[in-house]
Amino acid sequence: MAEKVGIYVCHCGSNIAGTVDCEEVARWAGQNIRDVAVARDYKFMCSSLGQQLIEDDIKKEGLTRVVVAACSPHLHEKTFRRACQNAGLNPYLCHMTNVREHVSWVNNDKKAGTEKVKSLVSAAAERVKHQQPLEPFFVKVNPATLVIGGGIAGLQATLELADAGYPVYLVEREPSIGGHMAQFDKTFPTLDCSACILTPKMSEVGQHENVTMFTYSELEEVSGSVGSFKVKIRKRARYVDYDKCTGCGICVEKCPRKVVDDDFEAGLGYRKAIYTPFPQAVPRVPVIDTANCTYFQSGKCKVCSKVCPTDAVRYDQQDEIVELEVGNIVLATGWKLFDCKRLPNYGFGRLANVYTNLEFERLCNAAGPTNGKIVLRDGKTEPQRVAIIHCVGSRDSRYNSFCSAVCCMAAMKFGHLVLEKTNAEVYSFYIDMRPNQKDYEEFYQRLLEEGMHFVRGRVAEVTDAARRPEEQGKLIVQYEDTLLGEQKRLPVDMVILMGAMEPQADAKEMGLKCGISCSMAGWFTERHPKLDPVATMTDGVFVAGVCQGPKDIPAAVAQGAAAAARISGMITNGKVMIEPIVASIDEESCSGCRVCNNMCPYNAIEFDETKNVSRVITAMCKGCGTCVAACPCDAISGAHFKNEQIYAEIEGILWDAQPAAAATEGGR
């Protein structure tokens, strides 16, 4: 029995109709494509009226297949599948062809564009005739959630879920939660004390009955799929018994070994070989730095063990692997600072009074190494002139082409703190000012009124080579003022480099563990940049905060809450739908070569040792087809992408070449 195909061509306003004759395509399809019962064009097919048009035709004309020529299926495939389902047609008998991004937006020739759309519509119509009804399936959702990263985004996601009554496992690689925000002095544009607004959240997470924290720990392995992930967490040895330690701090106080703190204090301060990162750390359980501990290096000392009143120090403690089962995963792994030594012309690491933005945060922090006094490296001299250089390592094709989003505002915050605490002049060297969020422009105007100097132009060099007497003993900023069109030199006492936000060094490795990908820059890739910025292409894995791309604190908090809301909805529903467009393996044909196991980008294929065959984990499969193409035995097939469907699509797209080919064959 012949199929009855309905074809619908969307104008998308002028997005498609501007370079495609949609009426001609619909007319042509109705006259030239076999088994087409209805062919229509409409201004906005995705509108309620457009969807109703499809539903009515299915009921009245008895359509058995539907083709929609419109925008990306990524955007509206669910819309049109729902319309078919409402009319009683299996939603997987609907097929979309993308004529907006693939034709209209890349073409200015209306005649050529119209002909290409005819080919795409013909291909879709031939393909859809071979599609088969599919049924989605559902899996139960474990109410426990794993949150990786204890920065502000991870904390927000954790609290949202825990307050809703769901168990949360929070994993943080540092000895304490808090992330970079714990290092900051104040937050823009309100100049709130960073610790004052962060530490209550840290304390709440640490004491919450629904939260289990794994600090000084890392994600080791992920298996399973949405609703039922199995994860392994490596708890690194602290060499302090977590249960026995009371956080009294006597061991830290009595430890004789002092080392430079390159982590929390960014190299400006010191800590002991046994330490807690900062006074408000959660948990307040110290960690022994084995690389600097006298006992671990020479077998002597043991002062911390001798003075501990609860006998909590354990030199023989080993790493521990903890296995957990969770329904969803939130990645909130944050960012790292660009290594400013990669720009040697700015002198960081060579010239003493060149600071990174993170160093300056600690310098002006009341709990920092100088108790909040802004002084030079000698620890006592107050600067008289300070230069702040924007976009160090960002907006630069040699390093990071992206904007780090927060540097302009952070630079203005630094300028305000310098003006507030010293009598120094402040010069800010920028490419473009981007104070584009709520109250940011007002903060910019405030700094102008306070007397901060803004100079448009990228700094070429920071040097200590003096040319004039007034430059002796100073740092000289060589720059071009692009507004005046002049090359200038400015002697200063201190330079602050606004280093770029970069993805964590192990972001790609973390993405592979969780079955998600990274952008070329290294940020985790979301499902859709506008409509689904917290979900990923792997169901059950969500992203929040700067690990998805540079953003400020409010945006990171909002994204953490959004990820938690998505997960809460899934847990409340109790089950989640899985798309049936997945691969399947014919075990009779499988040779057990395991080629597909290594090729699958989603780790969705397991190997059955007893039967010596591979098997698809349908809940994890995304139907990408990698395994289908790689299988040397032709044992794997992909639903909706079977050979007959692909061949039919190829024949359809070559509709205008077939008569010529037939004539050539007849002539032979």
Side-chain angles (χ1 to χ4, degrees), residues 217-266:
S217 304
E218 296 188 73
L219 179 68
E220 190 79 5
E221 184 181 312
V222 178
S223 60
S225 58
V226 58
S228 183
F229 288 107
K230 293 179 175 62
V231 298
K232 292 182 180 179
I233 307 299
R234 178 177 293 275
K235 289 179 64 178
R236 293 158 58 197
R238 286 177 176 265
Y239 304 102
V240 174
D241 191 311
Y242 193 98
D243 297 320
K244 286 186 176 182
C245 179
T246 62
C248 66
I250 295 175
C251 58
V252 178
E253 179 186 344
K254 298 298 184 181
C255 177
R257 185 71 185 273
K258 186 181 281 190
V259 297
V260 175
D261 186 352
D262 288 318
D263 298 320
F264 189 78
E265 295 293 356

Side-chain angles (χ1 to χ4, degrees), residues 225-389:
S225 58
V226 58
S228 183
F229 288 107
K230 293 179 175 62
V231 298
K232 292 182 180 179
I233 307 299
R234 178 177 293 275
K235 289 179 64 178
R236 293 158 58 197
R238 286 177 176 265
Y239 304 102
V240 174
D241 191 311
Y242 193 98
D243 297 320
K244 286 186 176 182
C245 179
T246 62
C248 66
I250 295 175
C251 58
V252 178
E253 179 186 344
K254 298 298 184 181
C255 177
R257 185 71 185 273
K258 186 181 281 190
V259 297
V260 175
D261 186 352
D262 288 318
D263 298 320
F264 189 78
E265 295 293 356
L268 295 183
Y270 293 87
R271 61 167 170 78
K272 298 295 184 67
I274 183 170
Y275 69 100
T276 50
F278 53 99
Q280 304 94 333
V282 176
R284 282 189 56 78
V285 178
V287 173
I288 294 180
D289 176 6
T290 57
N292 291 293
C293 175
T294 302
Y295 171 76
F296 279 95
Q297 297 304 311
S298 64
K300 300 176 182 178
C301 187
K302 287 193 174 184
V303 168
C304 54
S305 177
K306 294 172 184 176
V307 300
C308 179
T310 61
D311 192 29
V313 177
R314 290 284 178 267
Y315 298 118
D316 60 347
Q317 196 176 68
Q318 300 292 319
D319 288 2
E320 179 184 352
I321 300 295
V322 179
E323 297 187 11
L324 306 170
E325 292 188 8
V326 297
N328 293 276
I329 298 172
V330 179
L331 292 174
T333 52
W335 56 280
K336 70 178 181 70
L337 184 66
F338 173 76
D339 181 4
C340 293
K341 290 180 180 178
R342 294 171 65 189
L343 282 166
N345 49 312
Y346 287 161
F348 177 68
R350 177 171 52 86
L351 302 176
N353 291 307
V354 177
Y355 294 78
T356 66
N357 41 351
L358 210 49
E359 284 182 327
F360 190 77
E361 287 281 5
R362 299 309 304 156
L363 190 68
C364 59
N365 193 302
T370 62
N371 298 316
K373 294 179 181 178
I374 298 177
V375 292
L376 302 182
R377 296 275 184 185
D378 61 10
K380 57 185 178 181
T381 306
E382 189 175 280
Q384 298 302 306
R385 185 179 283 171
V386 176
I388 304 174
I389 302 176

Side-chain angles (χ1 to χ4, degrees), residues 15-90:
N15 275 313
I16 296 172
T19 52
V20 174
D21 188 341
C22 298
E23 294 91 341
E24 166 61 16
V25 172
R27 183 200 61 77
W28 176 87
Q31 295 176 355
N32 293 276
I33 301 177
R34 290 174 301 149
D35 304 324
V36 172
V38 176
R40 304 185 190 278
D41 63 280
Y42 192 71
K43 286 284 186 182
F44 296 101
M45 283 304 306
C46 61
S47 67
S48 57
L49 293 175
Q51 295 175 58
Q52 191 62 49
L53 192 65
I54 296 174
E55 292 181 30
D56 291 343
D57 284 346
I58 292 173
K59 294 174 182 177
K60 292 177 183 178
E61 304 294 336
L63 300 182
T64 60
R65 301 288 190 274
V66 170
V67 171
V68 181
C71 57
S72 169
H74 198 54
L75 191 62
H76 277 308
E77 189 170 52
K78 287 184 178 179
T79 302
F80 297 115
R81 281 182 178 174
R82 191 184 309 115
C84 292
Q85 188 171 26
N86 291 341
L89 183 67
N90 186 286

